[in-house]
Amino acid sequence: MESPLDWKSYIGLGGAPVWHKSLLRRAAEVAGLDGHVVVIVGDFRFGNSVLLEDPTPSESTLDGFTGIARDAMSVEDDFSMLSRSMRGIAEWNDAFGPRARYVFWDLFGRQVNDRLAGSHIANGPYRHPVFNYDEVVQSLPGFNVIDLAPLLRLPMHEVSRLLIDNSNHPSQVGYLLLNALVFEGLSAREAYDRAVSIVETELMNLGRRIVAAASRPVVLTGRSVWLDTLSRYLGAQGTQQLADAGLLLAPLDDTPGRPTHRQVTDAVDLQKCAVVVVSAGGKDLSAELASVFSTGLAPWASAVVVDWESSAAPAIQDRGETPNFSRLDSRRSDHPQAVSPDVVSSMVEQGPLGMPSWSGIVGLLEQLADGRWIDLRDDDFAAADETHVESSVALPRSRASYDAAPFLSVKHSTYFPVYDHLFSKYVGKSPVIVEVGVLNGGSLFMWREFFGPAARIIGVDLNPEATWLREDGFDIHIGDQTDPEFWADFFADVGDVDIFLDDGGHTYPQQIVTASSAMDHIRDGGVLVVEDTHTSYMADFGGPSDTSFISWAVNLVHGINRRFSAFASDHRSERRVWSIEFFESIVAFHVNRSRATAESVPTRNGGAGRDAKDFRYRSDHVITDDELRHYFSY
C-alpha cells in the first residue's frame, strides 16, 4: 500500500499498551513541536502483567510490560486495565493536545468478533462487562477520535472483512480503511465502502482470469487456512460477485456468507466446471468432496491439490516459530496430485498459523490465473456415477436440507438420522416448530426446506441480532432461556407447538428450565427434543452431576414408570410424556397426554388356559448386588 509517510513515521511495538512510555517518547521525538500523531490504540489488556507486580506500579506510563497475561484477566483486573489505559491516553493528550487523533481499533474489533460469536448480549444490545467502544469514546469529550461506530450498525459478517482473525489483526480491507481514515479524512462508512470496492475489484479481476485460463467456470474448494482467510475477505457480497465472475468458492467447511455445496451444484453444471482443491498438507479429500458434492470419486481423485500450508511452513520457521496448522489432518493420506505453490515470506502473516497475507491471497490466485494446475483433470463428473461415494446410501432428508441452507448451521453428523426418525411425519404438513439457538440462521432455513412452506417456524435466541431473520419470514423471539417468565410470555404469544428443539446454550439450567417450561405447551403427538446432551458428562459444564440434564431426563423415566397402578397413589407420576427416546447426544420426549394418563390395568385375552404353574420365584441361583454391578458397564 502506498503511504504519504516514510517508514520512520510508523512507530510500534507488538502487544504494547497505550501507556507504553517509550512509544510516547519516540512519537514526540518524530512529531516534533508541530507534527500530528495518530494513535492506534491496542487491546486494553496489553501489559496486564503489570497487575502481577507487588506492589503494582502507580506511574501512568511504563516500559517493560507487553502482551496479555492469563493470570490477570478477571473482571476486576480488566477494570484496572481500563483505568490505566485511560490514564495513558490522557498522557498522549497532555503531550499532543489537538494534534493527536485516536483510533480504538482493538475495542472495535472486540465488539465485532464478540457479536459474531453471540457473546455479551443479553436481552438487549451488546454490552461487554468492562470494555465497550461507545462508553470509552463518550468518556473522551474534546478528544479527536476517528469514530468507527457507524460500522457497528452494519451486519457483522460484512464488517468482519476488516479483520483476518479473532485477534483483530487488520486485513487488507482494514488497512485500506485505516489509510483512508488517517490520511484522507473520509468518514468510516465512506472508507469502508471504498476499501471493500478496491479489494473486490482486484479479486474479481483475478477470478475472471482464472475462469479464462480454464475456459469454463471453476469451483474452488478444499480445507485450508488459505480458503478460510479468502472467505473472510469476501463476505457475502464478495462471494456472490466472485461467483458471478465464474469462480465459485465452496470450502468443505461452511462459512457464513458463501454458497453451500448444494447451492453450488444447483447453480452450475459441475460437468462443465474445472475444479481446484486447496488442502492443508496436500491431504486427500477426494472421498469427502465426492460425498459433499454428491458426485463420483474419480474427478476429485484426479484433481490437482494445492498444498498451501506446507509451502508456508518455511516462512514461519525462518522467523523462529513452529508452524501450527489447525486444518492439517494427519489421519488422511497424502494426495498423489499434491503440488506446492510458490510462497515467499511476505505472503504469510506473522504467527504460526500460516494465514496468507494479502500478498498470499493474491499470489496464489495469480498462480491459478497463469493456468497451472487447472487443466490436469482428465476425468469428468459425467463418467463417475459408478464410483459415486456412498451412492447406495441415501442422505437423510434433513442432511440434504441442512446442506441447502444459505447460512451457517453447525450440527453433528449423527443428528440427521434422528431428525428424520422424529420429524418425518410432519413433512409437507403445517406443524408449528420452535428452535432455540438460531443466530446464524442456517437451521431455520434447513427446517423450512425440510418441512415445506406450510410450516410455521419460530426461532428463539439470546442475541438481539437474530431479529434479522424476520426479514426472511421467520418469527423471532429474543430472550433468556433460563428465565421461566420469558417462556411464560413466549407461549402466551405463540400458543402450543408441535416440535420444540433446544439447540441453545447447552448448560444444565438452560436445558432443564427450557424443557420444563415447554413441556406443557407441546401438543399431543408432538415432541420436545434437546440436543448436545453430552454436556451432562463434560467437566467444563459441571458434569457428571445429579442435577445434570441427563439426570433430569432419567428422573422423568421414574415418573413415567410410577404411572403403574401399584405406585400411582404413592408417588408423583409423569402424565404428559408418553415415552422418552435416548440417542447419542439427543433426548426426545414424546408428549401424548391421553396415552400418558391411560390407566394400566391387567387384561386377559380369550385364549384357553393350561393351568400352568408360576415359576417366577423358583430359581436357586442367587446373584449379589456386587455381582450385578459387573453388568453396569457405563
Side-chain angles (χ1 to χ4, degrees):
M1 269 177 44
E2 294 183 2
S3 168
L5 300 182
D6 62 60
W7 68 271
K8 294 181 181 179
S9 297
Y10 286 93
I11 304 164
L13 175 66
V18 69
W19 41 271
H20 195 277
K21 187 174 183 178
S22 294
L23 289 183
L24 176 57
R25 182 177 63 248
R26 176 63 179 153
E29 292 171 355
V30 173
L33 296 177
D34 301 319
H36 290 259
V37 173
V38 176
V39 184
I40 311 292
V41 182
D43 196 314
F44 282 172
R45 284 177 175 156
F46 282 163
N48 65 348
S49 59
V50 69
L51 301 178
L52 304 178
E53 297 290 305
D54 188 16
T56 302
S58 59
E59 296 93 330
S60 295
T61 59
L62 286 168
D63 286 339
F65 300 96
T66 58
I68 298 175
R70 291 185 178 274
D71 294 340
M73 288 178 58
S74 68
V75 172
E76 181 181 357
D77 291 334
D78 283 350
F79 274 115
S80 295
M81 292 309 298
L82 175 62
S83 176
R84 180 175 288 273
S85 297
M86 299 307 286
R87 295 203 312 271
I89 293 168
E91 292 285 344
W92 285 87
N93 191 58
D94 289 345
F96 296 101
R99 293 187 293 134
R101 288 180 289 165
Y102 304 88
V103 180
F104 291 96
W105 183 258
D106 272 86
L107 204 57
F108 165 80
R110 177 190 295 275
Q111 183 170 156
V112 172
N113 282 309
D114 279 354
R115 286 169 63 182
L116 280 172
S119 301
H120 307 303
I121 299 173
N123 298 322
Y126 170 85
R127 186 62 43 201
H128 190 275
V130 181
F131 304 123
N132 292 289
Y133 184 89
D134 55 348
E135 292 177 355
V136 168
V137 172
Q138 290 167 13
S139 70
L140 297 170
F143 283 59
N144 190 352
V145 175
I146 298 176
D147 194 10
L148 303 174
L151 302 182
L152 295 173
R153 294 190 284 272
L154 297 174
M156 290 299 100
H157 288 143
E158 293 299 323
V159 183
S160 67
R161 301 169 75 172
L162 296 167
L163 312 166
I164 61 167
D165 56 22
N166 293 336
S167 297
N168 308 322
H169 294 115
S171 67
Q172 181 76 352
V173 182
Y175 283 122
L176 287 167
L177 173 127
L178 287 167
N179 214 41
L181 292 172
V182 169
F183 299 120
E184 300 180 52
L186 270 62
S187 70
R189 185 58 194 269
E190 289 171 334
Y192 174 83
D193 289 343
R194 193 175 75 175
V196 165
S197 177
I198 291 171
V199 166
E200 283 185 352
T201 297
E202 186 159 2
L203 291 177
M204 295 315 115
N205 289 336
L206 285 166
R208 293 186 188 97
R209 285 176 53 194
I210 292 170
V211 172
S215 301
R216 49 192 161 158
V218 176
V219 176
L220 182 57
T221 186
R223 182 176 287 120
S224 165
V225 70
W226 186 88
L227 288 171
D228 296 339
T229 307
L230 176 60
S231 294
R232 187 149 185 168
Y233 260 101
L234 287 165
Q237 175 182 302
T239 300
Q240 184 57 55
Q241 289 196 18
L242 197 64
D244 292 342
L247 181 58
L248 294 96
L249 179 64
L252 274 170
D253 299 308
D254 287 329
T255 303
R258 66 151 183 80
T260 65
H261 310 98
R262 172 75 175 273
Q263 288 175 306
V264 170
T265 54
D266 285 349
V268 298
D269 184 354
L270 277 179
Q271 296 180 30
K272 298 178 181 178
C273 291
V275 294
V276 175
V277 178
V278 185
S279 173
K283 298 301 180 180
D284 189 354
L285 305 174
S286 301
E288 191 173 355
L289 288 163
S291 177
V292 165
F293 284 96
S294 299
T295 69
L297 182 63
W300 305 106
S302 61
V304 172
V305 171
V306 180
D307 179 6
W308 166 266
E309 270 81 349
S310 295
S311 299
I316 298 170
Q317 292 164 340
D318 288 347
R319 299 167 188 160
E321 294 186 285
T322 301
N324 181 16
F325 299 138
S326 62
R327 291 305 199 187
L328 185 63
D329 189 345
S330 60
R331 297 168 299 178
R332 297 178 184 269
S333 60
D334 293 343
H335 194 288
Q337 294 283 89
V339 297
S340 298
D342 299 329
V343 175
V344 297
S345 181
S346 61
M347 295 169 68
V348 184
E349 289 283 1
Q350 296 291 323
L353 303 181
M355 288 182 297
S357 65
W358 177 242
S359 298
I361 293 289
V362 171
L364 183 51
L365 290 174
E366 286 181 335
Q367 292 175 56
L368 293 174
D370 289 342
R372 64 177 83 180
W373 311 320
I374 293 179
D375 290 323
L376 297 183
R377 180 173 58 82
D378 297 323
D379 301 89
D380 67 23
F381 292 101
D385 291 342
E386 293 182 359
T387 59
H388 188 169
V389 174
E390 298 180 356
S391 60
S392 61
V393 180
L395 281 177
R397 178 187 179 92
S398 56
R399 177 58 197 252
S401 302
Y402 171 81
D403 289 338
F407 295 100
L408 178 67
S409 180
V410 178
K411 302 284 188 183
H412 290 281
S413 59
T414 54
Y415 290 7
F416 301 108
V418 179
Y419 294 150
D420 281 24
H421 166 72
L422 294 173
F423 303 149
S424 289
K425 69 177 183 178
Y426 291 103
V427 170
K429 299 180 182 178
S430 52
V432 178
I433 303 142
V434 175
E435 181 169 26
V436 182
V438 300
L439 178 61
N440 288 297
S443 59
L444 297 188
F445 285 90
M446 165 189 170
W447 297 129
R448 176 179 286 171
E449 174 79 10
F450 180 86
F451 291 107
R456 179 187 176 193
I457 301 173
I458 303 167
V460 176
D461 207 284
L462 186 60
N463 190 337
E465 289 194 10
T467 55
W468 73 271
L469 289 159
R470 291 172 181 164
E471 300 174 5
D472 289 282
F474 299 109
D475 185 359
I476 302 299
H477 294 252
I478 304 300
D480 185 344
Q481 69 178 113
T482 56
D483 182 1
E485 291 186 7
F486 163 74
W487 288 119
D489 293 340
F490 172 83
F491 286 110
D493 183 20
V494 306
D496 292 343
V497 305
D498 298 290
I499 296 171
F500 189 100
L501 178 64
D502 181 5
D503 187 21
H506 313 317
T507 66
Y508 307 161
Q510 289 170 319
Q511 292 173 330
I512 293 172
V513 171
T514 298
S516 298
S517 301
M519 197 75 75
D520 286 332
H521 303 281
I522 308 295
R523 293 171 178 163
D524 276 359
V527 62
L528 186 154
V529 178
V530 181
E531 290 187 6
D532 298 320
T533 56
H534 48 252
T535 57
S536 288
Y537 305 95
M538 297 172 69
D540 288 347
F541 287 81
S545 165
D546 60 359
T547 58
S548 73
F549 177 78
I550 289 295
S551 298
W552 180 85
V554 170
N555 182 60
L556 260 69
V557 173
H558 299 321
I560 289 173
N561 284 289
R562 282 171 176 163
R563 294 198 295 253
F564 187 68
S565 55
F567 314 129
S569 61
D570 299 326
H571 298 276
R572 183 179 178 184
S573 58
E574 170 55 47
R575 299 284 176 169
R576 300 159 300 178
V577 178
W578 183 46
S579 66
I580 304 176
E581 286 187 274
F582 290 85
F583 306 90
E584 177 200 325
S585 300
I586 291 178
V587 180
F589 304 85
H590 295 276
V591 175
N592 193 314
R593 293 165 187 81
S594 62
R595 292 181 176 179
T597 55
E599 184 180 1
S600 175
V601 296
T603 64
R604 290 175 181 268
N605 66 5
R610 298 185 60 201
D611 196 26
K613 294 181 179 180
D614 189 344
F615 270 62
R616 281 180 293 177
Y617 310 112
R618 297 290 294 271
S619 174
D620 294 326
H621 189 74
V622 177
I623 298 180
T624 65
D625 286 350
D626 285 340
E627 290 172 325
L628 281 176
R629 288 188 182 94
H630 172 74
Y631 294 90
F632 287 72
S633 301
Y634 307 111

